[in-house]
Amino acid sequence: MRKSICLLFTGLLAAGNLFAQTEPNKSPAAKNADKPPTVREPGKKAPEQSPPPVTGQSPAVAPNSSTDTAAKPQIDKNPPPLDLKNMDTAVKPGDDFYLYANGSWIKNNPIPPEFSRWAAFNELAEKNNDALHEIAEKAAGGAPKDSKKKAEKPASADMQKVGDFYASGMDEATVDAAKAKPLADEMKRIDAMKDRKDLLKEIGRFHSMQLHALFFFLSGQDDKDSTKVIAQAYQGGLGLPDRDYYTKEDDASKKLRDQYVEHVAKMLTLAGAPADQAAADAKKIMELETSLAKPARTRVELRDPQKNYNKMKLADLQKLMPDFNWADYFKEIKLPAPADVNVGQPDFFKAAGEVFKTVSVDDWKPYLRWHLIHDMAPTLSNDFVNENFRFFEATLRGTKQIKLRWKRVVTKTDDELGEALGKLYVAERFPPEAKARALEMVNNLKEALAERIKTLDWMDEPTKQEALKKLAAFTVKIGYPDKWRDYSALKIDRTSYAQNVMRGDMFEVDRQLKKIGKPVDRTEWGMTPPTVNAYYNPNMNEIVFPAGILQPPFFDPKADDAVNYGGMGAVIGHEMTHGFDDQGRQYDAVGNLRDWWSPASAEAYKKRSQAVVDQYKAYEPLPGQHINGELTQGENIADIGGVKLAFMALQKAIAKKGPQPKIDGFTPEQRFFLGFAQIWRNNQRDEDLKLRLNTDPHSPGRFRTIGPLSNFVEFQKAFDIPDGSPMIRPADQRVNIW
């Protein structure tokens, strides 16, 4: 698993430290769903979603309630840089700026039935998917029905693999006829288990295939020596999106657990188990997963990198789990015994060792069968696909309709062959001038943050110097990798979609495990080029912006600076701020977990970050359900800091170029804030919003707009908003960190 990366959206990338903009619009059933991330999601969330900032009451549920099942996405292929049609000028900017900027869009863009939410991120992702569809069809030897381009034969090894993988997934007749046969060999292995030694080998086998079982084992940078890659072990082994789904005792949670058990039984039945046996096994699976959930840390607890750092010798790990023979496990995953292992959550592993020891092998068999079926369901026949959708999308997220097959297969192609597909994508879709303009914006934001650090009144000089040193050391990656991944050792053919996915997953696990004990490759990327997202990685001290997001509405090379800085500038500022949020600030210039803060500056920071927690936990997106201020703290800090830095950078750009005229009747400052608000436009189903309030380290899109702006005096000045307005927090309550 990768370490946490600050993502603009929420992306649980392995166990990574990716702090991203937003959370990818993927099912919680995804393979990495319950991986423990110190993951930071940056400000740009793919699909996502207020009380007035002062009262904490949401003025309207309407933004999240548009669910017309007949709706079709209406995507303007050439919208203006700032689309005034999105606005609702009947709303005053000082009453609710989110609705002022986006109200008409919210009313006119009901959620398409195949989505749990519909947002600016989805609109762009759909455009990218259309491009990837065309590329994949071309590689496979066909062309989309609506494409005027002629089919071309594959011209490279990468294109051949992309084409064969995509073709295998699109061969619905063959996939449907196979039913669960692609899993037959793995099922036989499970059935043949006789004792705990066999069980251990099968758990290792699962991990080598990137399947869920008991815990997660991966590679990652050493938090306290970022030049090295070490073995990492993290809590895991669950099927529901989070450990709290097993432990909460409210009626809704109990009902959901009952629905989960029913779903598990149905999937086991589809795989050939008699109905009564499947029902009994499903209950055993729930008991086993609950025994793993109870000792697991909460998502808030997982945000503490110091507590997740427990590097130990193999002998100490063996003492922690005396009945689990780690030497045999390493042989099974074909890894030479590592000198050190970072055990993220020792209490969990101690408890997991007891579960391994006390649960009978016969009761482990249905658990392993279930997770094999669960993880592979999207690659199997339609009865598995539809039942998987029914629970993990319809029940958990409120999604009304499954996506078209080509969309699902393109997404999986990006998952398994992301840089091969990405290489083809950027060759056609990412002009050099976009990269140059984005780099100019990054440099302006770095200057703005440097100036901001120098003038902070709460940080002492020694800490400022360390902060400036870290900022200067930022690595910036834009568009796509300089060195592309080599897939030559990965076998892909058109025989079996599921087998292609299995081989792809094994290829990736092998690639990750081979890093252990070797120097860190600082050229590697944690997202594929077409991804509509961005991230900060604290171990690398890098900010990364894939080509997929460097397009309207976030970035338009032809747009005025105000709109670009309000959109992409705020995304860049968000990722940069992640380097100095409550988690990122604990890493130094070279990516080591090291306390470089003076006690006085650290205390001043904590006081200010607590104010962020208090502000956001007052917001109530659904009746009785508030934002988790602790879970979302890092992303909220990054949102607040990002928009401030982007505004400062815009002022620097204007100073260099001279006064800028009004456009469409709005000043550059007003266009900046409108551009910022419009990237967070969003409609979301209540079910999805509820799930994300439990699991997503990002606040809903509405609050990513009003939360930061309510603290910002320049916003108040730009729209001449009087004190006491709902959008303006009292001066003594405004958050001011970066």
Side-chain angles (χ1 to χ4, degrees):
M1 260 185 200
R2 299 183 186 91
K3 289 227 143 181
S4 58
I5 297 172
C6 298
L7 308 168
L8 179 58
F9 306 105
T10 303
L12 303 186
L13 303 182
N17 293 336
L18 295 184
F19 301 152
Q21 285 291 319
T22 188
E23 181 172 19
N25 195 20
K26 294 184 179 180
S27 164
K31 288 191 177 181
N32 293 330
D34 63 349
K35 291 188 180 181
T38 320
V39 173
R40 296 211 181 193
E41 305 165 312
K44 68 177 176 227
K45 279 204 136 194
E48 305 154 301
Q49 7 7 63
S50 106
V54 178
T55 65
Q57 285 298 325
S58 177
V61 181
N64 298 319
S65 62
S66 180
T67 58
D68 179 2
T69 58
K72 300 283 180 68
Q74 299 297 318
I75 303 174
D76 188 343
K77 294 188 177 180
N78 294 292
L82 182 67
D83 198 341
L84 304 188
K85 296 193 301 295
N86 291 342
M87 300 175 63
D88 182 354
T89 54
V91 179
K92 294 180 180 179
D95 288 347
D96 190 322
F97 195 73
Y98 178 78
L99 292 181
Y100 172 72
N102 299 306
S104 292
W105 183 92
I106 289 167
K107 294 172 186 174
N108 296 324
N109 286 271
I111 305 169
E114 68 269 29
F115 289 87
S116 59
R117 57 184 174 177
W118 183 247
F121 285 95
N122 301 91
E123 291 178 315
L124 179 51
E126 285 295 282
K127 289 182 183 179
N128 284 349
N129 278 341
D130 287 340
L132 295 176
H133 184 205
E134 192 170 284
I135 291 167
E137 286 281 355
K138 183 192 300 182
K145 294 179 181 178
D146 58 352
S147 173
K148 296 180 181 179
K149 295 186 178 181
K150 294 181 179 180
E152 298 177 17
K153 292 184 178 181
S156 68
D158 283 333
M159 186 172 278
Q160 182 76 50
K161 278 187 166 57
V162 167
D164 287 349
F165 185 95
Y166 176 78
S168 74
M170 290 303 295
D171 186 358
E172 187 170 8
T174 297
V175 172
D176 240 13
K179 297 290 184 179
K181 288 180 183 177
L183 310 183
D185 288 345
E186 300 307 322
M187 288 291 193
K188 288 177 183 177
R189 289 175 181 269
I190 296 169
D191 292 341
M193 292 192 312
K194 293 182 175 63
D195 53 29
R196 234 159 282 281
K197 187 173 182 179
D198 291 340
L199 170 61
L200 184 147
K201 291 180 67 176
E202 196 58 27
I203 289 171
R205 170 77 177 173
F206 264 50
H207 291 174
S208 72
M209 299 173 67
Q210 211 174 90
L211 300 173
H212 287 68
L214 190 58
F215 58 88
F216 290 110
F217 189 87
L218 48 130
S219 64
Q221 281 173 267
D222 187 329
D223 259 357
K224 296 192 177 180
D225 185 354
S226 64
T227 64
K228 296 179 180 178
V229 178
I230 64 172
Q232 309 268 356
Y234 283 87
Q235 67 186 45
L238 308 181
L240 285 168
D242 184 70
R243 53 93 62 195
D244 288 358
Y245 282 78
Y246 296 86
T247 60
K248 289 184 176 179
E249 291 301 322
D250 58 281
D251 290 342
S253 296
K254 290 178 181 178
K255 179 181 178 181
L256 188 59
R257 286 197 288 271
D258 289 341
Q259 292 172 307
Y260 176 61
V261 170
E262 291 173 6
H263 166 68
V264 173
K266 177 64 173 175
M267 293 292 267
L268 293 174
T269 303
L270 291 175
D276 56 347
Q277 183 63 52
D281 285 347
K283 292 178 181 178
K284 292 177 182 178
I285 291 165
M286 171 56 82
E287 290 175 5
L288 200 161
E289 290 185 358
T290 301
S291 69
L292 295 175
K294 287 181 177 178
R297 290 181 186 166
T298 67
R299 288 186 179 241
V300 171
E301 291 169 335
L302 288 170
R303 296 190 74 257
D304 187 336
Q306 291 287 356
K307 289 184 179 178
N308 289 331
Y309 187 79
N310 305 282
K311 188 166 73 171
M312 59 182 69
K313 298 296 182 184
L314 187 54
D316 295 320
L317 175 56
Q318 190 62 67
K319 290 178 184 176
L320 197 62
M321 298 178 69
D323 296 286
F324 189 92
N325 190 318
W326 282 93
D328 287 351
Y329 172 80
F330 292 133
K331 288 178 185 176
E332 188 62 31
I333 64 174
K334 298 179 175 60
L335 176 70
D340 301 293
V341 179
N342 179 50
V343 181
Q345 301 78 32
D347 290 343
F348 171 84
F349 278 86
K350 184 177 181 179
E354 284 298 309
V355 174
F356 174 81
K357 172 185 174 182
T358 57
V359 174
S360 72
V361 173
D362 284 342
D363 285 350
W364 275 103
K365 289 180 181 181
Y367 169 87
L368 293 173
R369 290 189 199 104
W370 154 239
H371 279 285
L372 173 63
I373 298 165
H374 171 52
D375 286 355
M376 295 302 299
T379 71
L380 301 178
S381 54
N382 278 320
D383 46 1
F384 288 95
V385 170
N386 292 334
E387 174 59 23
N388 185 65
F389 170 85
R390 185 194 63 78
F391 180 76
F392 283 101
E393 286 294 334
T395 299
L396 278 180
R397 296 185 180 275
T399 312
K400 306 301 180 185
Q401 179 178 304
I402 197 167
K403 289 184 175 67
L404 295 174
R405 186 172 190 89
W406 74 259
K407 292 186 179 183
R408 290 179 273 132
V409 176
V410 161
T411 297
K412 181 53 73 173
T413 307
D414 187 41
D415 287 344
E416 302 290 345
L417 293 162
E419 291 196 13
L421 182 61
K423 185 191 296 186
L424 304 174
Y425 170 82
V426 298
E428 294 188 10
R429 303 283 173 162
F430 190 60
E433 55 268 27
K435 187 168 186 174
R437 181 87 178 270
L439 182 59
E440 176 188 354
M441 293 177 67
V442 170
N443 290 334
N444 283 342
L445 269 102
K446 286 180 72 175
E447 286 183 30
L449 180 52
E451 290 180 10
R452 175 67 178 149
I453 290 171
K454 291 174 184 176
T455 58
L456 290 173
D457 59 5
W458 56 266
M459 181 181 279
D460 60 28
E461 192 59 32
T463 310
K464 286 181 182 180
Q465 291 305 312
E466 287 286 341
L468 291 168
K469 180 180 177 182
K470 178 172 182 174
L471 174 60
F474 270 16
T475 295
V476 180
K477 295 177 179 177
I478 297 174
Y480 52 88
D482 293 327
K483 181 176 71 176
W484 294 99
R485 189 162 300 164
D486 179 7
Y487 294 97
S488 58
L490 172 59
K491 179 186 175 182
I492 298 293
D493 59 33
R494 301 194 178 201
T495 305
S496 169
Y497 182 41
Q499 291 294 326
N500 277 338
V501 171
M502 284 183 177
R503 288 193 294 267
D505 289 344
M506 293 180 77
F507 172 84
E508 177 60 16
V509 171
D510 181 66
R511 190 182 74 84
Q512 292 289 342
L513 292 182
K514 283 179 177 175
K515 296 178 182 181
I516 294 173
K518 295 181 180 177
V520 171
D521 179 2
R522 292 186 175 269
T523 69
E524 190 171 6
W525 279 52
M527 288 181 176
T528 64
T531 303
V532 184
N533 212 329
Y535 67 86
Y536 169 75
N537 184 338
N539 288 128
M540 295 282 204
N541 195 27
E542 65 181 6
I543 48 177
V544 185
F545 307 98
I549 196 172
L550 293 169
Q551 302 176 74
F554 302 97
F555 176 76
D556 184 346
K558 304 180 188 66
D560 54 299
D561 281 338
V563 173
N564 273 336
Y565 277 92
M568 196 64 209
V571 169
I572 294 168
H574 174 106
E575 301 307 339
M576 289 173 57
T577 304
H578 267 309
F580 302 95
D581 71 9
D582 67 301
Q583 290 176 285
R585 76 172 190 85
Q586 299 183 59
Y587 294 82
D588 64 16
V590 297
N592 287 332
L593 187 59
R594 177 178 69 85
D595 189 359
W596 48 269
W597 290 68
S598 71
S601 293
E603 188 60 33
Y605 184 95
K606 290 175 183 177
K607 181 178 179 181
R608 285 162 172 75
S609 64
Q610 184 59 47
V612 176
V613 172
D614 293 341
Q615 175 183 343
Y616 282 81
K617 71 181 183 181
Y619 294 142
E620 190 178 355
L622 288 172
Q625 296 191 49
H626 291 252
I627 292 174
N628 185 328
E630 287 80 11
L631 177 62
T632 60
Q633 177 183 176
E635 296 302 329
N636 296 333
I637 290 171
D639 282 345
I640 294 168
V643 70
K644 286 188 175 184
L645 293 176
F647 188 83
M648 290 174 65
L650 172 63
Q651 297 306 303
K652 293 174 70 67
I654 291 175
K656 293 175 183 176
K657 298 177 181 179
Q660 304 294 302
K662 286 186 176 181
I663 300 177
D664 297 325
F666 294 102
T667 66
E669 290 78 11
Q670 290 172 330
R671 287 176 66 81
F672 170 89
F673 291 113
L674 286 167
F676 171 72
Q678 288 199 353
I679 68 171
W680 295 115
R681 60 183 182 261
N682 168 82
N683 273 319
Q684 185 172 20
R685 301 186 194 279
D686 284 353
E687 297 92 337
D688 187 67
L689 177 54
K690 181 178 179 180
L691 184 147
R692 292 183 187 277
L693 287 173
N694 290 328
T695 63
D696 191 349
H698 301 89
S699 295
R702 172 183 188 75
F703 302 96
R704 299 186 76 167
T705 301
I706 65 173
L709 296 187
S710 67
N711 293 293
F712 201 16
V713 68
E714 284 79 1
F715 163 72
Q716 183 179 8
K717 291 178 181 177
F719 288 90
D720 194 23
I721 301 172
D723 287 338
S725 298
M727 275 300 306
I728 305 302
R729 292 173 67 81
D732 62 349
Q733 294 181 24
R734 291 179 191 171
V735 172
N736 184 20
I737 304 180
W738 303 108

